Amino acid sequence: MNTKVVSSQAFNDQKPGTSGLRKKVTDFQKPHYLENFVQSIFDSLNIPKNATLTLGGDGRYYNREAIQIIIKMAAANGFKRVLVGQAGILSTPAASCIIRKYKTFGGIILSASHNPGGIDGDFGIKYNTENGGPAPEKITEAIFEKSKNIQSYNIIEAPDVALDVIGETDLFGMKVQVIDAVADYAELMESLFDFNAIKDLLASGFRMKFDAMHAVTGPYAQEIFINQLGAPPDSIMNCVPLPDFGGGHPDPNLTYADELVDILYGENAPDFGAASDGDGDRNMILGKGFFVTPSDSLALIAANAKMVKGYTKGIAGVARSMPTSGAVDMVAKSLDIPCFETPTGWKFFGNLMDADQVTLCGEESFGTGSSHVREKDGLWAVLFWLNILAIKRQSVEQIVKRHWLQFGRNVYSRHDYEDLSLDAAKGIIDHLRNHFTSLSGQSFGRYTIKSCDDFSYTDPIDGSISAQQGLRILFNDGSRIVFRLSGTGTSGATLRIYLEAFEPDSNKHHLDAQVALAEMIQIALQISELKQRTGRDKPTVIT
Ligand code: VG1
Ligand code: CO
């Protein structure tokens, strides 16, 4: 084989983030940068003789170049086969599906998820293990350690592999198999949901709009909603994936998916709206003039799971990330199933799902999923909603409000302050942490702080401990404020403030979250000294 050992100098200075390595495209384009990281991944693994690697990305700028480099490095590092999505495309949940279905050794996913793309945007890479889920911390830490000391990497010298046509190529003994990026995933969805019921719903005059935000889910939406479920062609929008996502920010929330939001809140709005992010693992659910918070969506999916084909046997348990609202806890209690609280990031759900302790998982950050794969899954959540709607034949708003009547409402919002200086952001966290004792017992109008802590998680399956996962300010009535620094940004620091108040009184269920949370918001600003420390007087994004 034509293997070349290239000497390189380590310069990956970034600790593992919430979800793999994310940097500017221009960083990834620096000589040897991507190669160093990929070799560090390979060096951290015991690659068996006949190992197959799953490979694909969200199609953002630099996806194709990176795929070619990784294929050539896989060949030089002893892989026997690479399964790569056609044109280098695989959504994150589809990659997870492929790893599991074909029992590959692991997978590399190229994406910076919801971060903007293009030549001036972000790029990212992460490794998923053979269960199909993001590598656990012990592997990401090992990769990081390797990347600090790496001196050389292995790559073969060969022309680029053709990626646009399905088929197999031989690369010095390693097979490169280009697979349909959509088919296996679509088949999995069909096994979980009642496609006939959804077809009937869509044929009954019910109208939907799905926004792929020019990101990876375009081809998946076309196949599933239009070709298989028979939705009219105008039920999907922005479904041509573009390397720069059309200049947009492929983050499905009320701020960045404003084009869809305007449609759902406008005249002659459709009955249902949904969007997903850059790599297809997030989802936003909208009704006619109505927004479903991701925390409520998880609770509602849990409460109604048994009526959906793939879940009729019931769910083993649920898990949510710590900052996610306790709405799902209420459902778990009434179903008498366990509910786990994990740190932010999907990698913490894997062990629980592998051990069959939980079936459904979710995060407040527009991530919902189940044990059908080991990633959150945007289109899965959209189909789950469509299946529930097909059975209930009520509006999205009615379904959510009836859920609140039964379980109470966890009023919820997240305020993000992006691009702060690292010093200011860390200063806020330190300040709060240093004042835990004096904050406890303090009253602010009707709210009294019961206790404060720094969230630490002990994995119930492998006993590993993850400390300092966010500051929790807990109030006497069950309300809470959580402060946490983002682990996915690529410039400056992002402070996230998560606000939650439990509202059992159905007379107040019509209130807008920002109105209902007004006092909590003031308390958060006051105790964090946010304005003095950052000069900001409003959040960058409210979700
Ligand atoms: C954010 C979200 C977190 C999510 C992560 C990856 O992380 O808050 O819930 O798991 O993104 O999602 P952070 O550290 O910036 O808060 V994705 O769609 O980027 O894979
Ligand atoms: Co994502």
Side-chain angles (χ1 to χ4, degrees):
M1 195 185 313
N2 247 351
T3 303
K4 196 166 70 161
V5 179
V6 183
S7 11
S8 63
Q9 227 171 23
F11 52 85
N12 172 28
D13 51 0
Q14 185 166 309
K15 266 192 156 324
T18 315
S19 194
L21 176 70
R22 287 185 194 168
K23 285 268 193 188
K24 295 276 166 218
V25 165
T26 43
D27 285 319
F28 272 99
Q29 286 173 323
K30 285 181 189 155
H32 315 310
Y33 187 87
L34 173 72
E35 291 87 341
N36 271 342
F37 192 74
V38 174
Q39 189 64 49
S40 303
I41 296 176
F42 292 157
D43 286 349
S44 309
L45 307 168
N46 277 323
I47 303 169
K49 269 215 161 81
N50 283 315
T52 299
L53 181 73
T54 298
L55 179 62
D58 64 9
R60 66 178 61 222
Y61 190 86
Y62 202 55
N63 194 66
R64 274 179 181 266
E65 292 84 341
I67 296 257
Q68 294 292 350
I69 290 172
I70 296 168
I71 289 176
K72 290 172 196 173
M73 288 185 67
N77 281 278
F79 278 90
K80 266 282 162 272
R81 180 179 289 269
V82 173
L83 292 185
V84 55
Q86 191 174 11
I89 295 286
L90 282 179
S91 77
T92 290
S96 186
C97 161
I98 299 289
I99 295 172
R100 294 170 67 78
K101 182 168 178 178
Y102 298 106
K103 301 194 168 45
T104 72
F105 174 66
I108 291 181
I109 302 175
L110 302 172
S111 171
S113 188
H114 53 287
N115 296 16
I119 191 161
D120 303 318
D122 292 344
F123 193 76
I125 172 168
K126 71 172 178 168
Y127 182 71
N128 281 30
T129 49
E130 63 188 332
N131 72 346
E137 277 191 331
K138 89 174 174 284
I139 296 183
T140 56
E141 297 285 348
I143 297 171
F144 175 53
E145 286 308 316
K146 295 266 181 208
S147 73
K148 289 197 288 194
N149 300 312
I150 189 163
Q151 299 298 327
S152 67
Y153 60 88
N154 307 329
I155 190 161
I156 59 160
E157 287 183 304
D160 282 358
V161 177
L163 295 176
D164 291 304
V165 183
I166 290 171
E168 202 171 272
T169 321
D170 183 272
L171 199 64
F172 298 99
M174 186 186 82
K175 299 267 183 275
V176 180
Q177 194 179 336
V178 177
I179 58 171
D180 185 312
V182 178
D184 295 296
Y185 177 81
E187 192 184 296
L188 178 60
M189 292 303 111
E190 217 243 321
S191 74
L192 297 172
F193 302 108
D194 185 345
F195 273 28
N196 285 329
I198 301 175
K199 256 190 229 166
D200 288 348
L201 174 75
L202 290 167
S204 72
F206 175 97
R207 289 188 302 130
M208 66 171 282
K209 195 75 143 181
F210 174 80
D211 187 352
M213 303 188 85
H214 287 303
V216 78
T217 50
Y220 296 83
Q222 170 71 38
E223 173 60 22
I224 295 172
F225 298 130
I226 312 298
N227 303 358
Q228 298 197 13
L229 294 170
D234 69 349
S235 306
I236 59 176
M237 60 194 267
N238 299 326
C239 276
V240 177
L242 299 172
D244 66 347
F245 308 120
H249 196 144
D251 195 354
N253 61 37
L254 295 174
T255 304
Y256 296 126
D258 52 340
E259 200 183 340
L260 177 75
V261 173
D262 287 349
I263 295 174
L264 267 292
Y265 281 77
E267 251 173 66
N268 194 23
D271 303 287
F272 177 72
S276 61
D277 71 331
D279 61 331
D281 57 0
R282 295 186 176 205
N283 73 92
M284 175 170 70
I285 302 293
L286 300 169
K288 209 186 278 259
F290 191 80
F291 166 64
V292 185
T293 70
S295 297
D296 280 341
S297 176
L298 172 65
L300 212 132
I301 285 175
N304 293 289
K306 261 193 149 172
M307 67 173 71
V308 171
K309 186 170 154 188
Y311 304 85
T312 46
K313 290 199 189 111
I315 49 179
V318 292
R320 62 163 172 85
S321 67
M322 181 274 282
T324 303
S325 97
V328 74
D329 302 38
M330 304 293 168
V331 176
K333 210 165 153 198
S334 92
L335 294 176
D336 198 21
I337 53 170
C339 176
F340 296 86
E341 187 178 35
T342 59
T344 294
W346 210 260
K347 60 186 164 205
F348 295 102
F349 295 135
N351 274 350
L352 293 168
M353 289 194 274
D354 286 350
D356 286 328
Q357 304 263 334
V358 306
T359 308
L360 300 174
C361 307
E363 295 194 276
E364 49 62 44
S365 54
F366 298 84
T368 337
S370 89
S371 51
H372 67 289
V373 290
R374 291 293 180 276
E375 288 279 4
K376 52 187 183 271
D377 190 343
L379 285 175
W380 169 89
V382 178
L383 287 164
F384 213 120
W385 266 91
L386 284 172
N387 204 146
I388 292 173
L389 288 161
I391 295 168
K392 293 203 173 216
R393 301 284 172 137
Q394 295 162 9
S395 73
V396 171
E397 181 168 354
Q398 271 169 344
I399 292 177
V400 174
K401 291 204 163 146
R402 283 179 192 179
H403 181 92
W404 289 343
L405 263 186
Q406 189 180 349
F407 296 98
R409 177 184 176 196
N410 293 66
V411 187
Y412 191 84
S413 182
R414 185 177 104 183
H415 288 199
D416 293 337
Y417 290 81
E418 294 177 354
D419 225 343
L420 301 175
S421 80
L422 204 56
D423 283 349
K426 284 194 169 147
I428 288 177
I429 297 290
D430 289 343
H431 164 75
L432 284 163
R433 201 179 264 137
N434 293 336
H435 286 83
F436 276 175
T437 332
S438 59
L439 282 171
S440 301
Q442 268 195 52
S443 292
F444 304 82
R446 64 187 167 123
Y447 292 105
T448 301
I449 298 180
K450 188 170 90 182
S451 61
C452 311
D453 66 11
D454 211 333
F455 182 61
S456 169
Y457 177 68
T458 305
D459 188 298
I461 312 299
D462 66 18
S464 58
I465 296 172
S466 305
Q468 302 207 326
Q469 298 292 322
L471 308 183
R472 298 193 289 191
I473 315 293
L474 306 165
F475 293 82
N476 276 342
D477 70 341
S479 305
R480 25 169 232 166
I481 304 174
V482 172
F483 293 87
R484 199 186 142 261
L485 295 182
S486 154
T488 56
T490 56
S491 68
T494 294
L495 176 72
R496 306 203 193 284
I497 305 180
Y498 310 81
L499 305 135
E500 176 178 4
F502 183 64
E503 183 55 83
D505 182 356
S506 59
N507 292 318
K508 296 193 184 149
H509 286 174
H510 65 281
L511 284 181
D512 176 77
Q514 303 310 314
V515 175
L517 291 167
E519 287 167 86
M520 300 284 291
I521 296 169
Q522 285 315 312
I523 299 170
L525 295 178
Q526 189 182 327
I527 63 176
S528 63
E529 300 180 348
L530 188 131
K531 203 169 170 181
Q532 300 91 297
R533 289 171 178 274
T534 66
R536 302 283 179 89
D537 56 5
K538 58 173 188 313
T540 325
V541 179
I542 294 180
T543 48

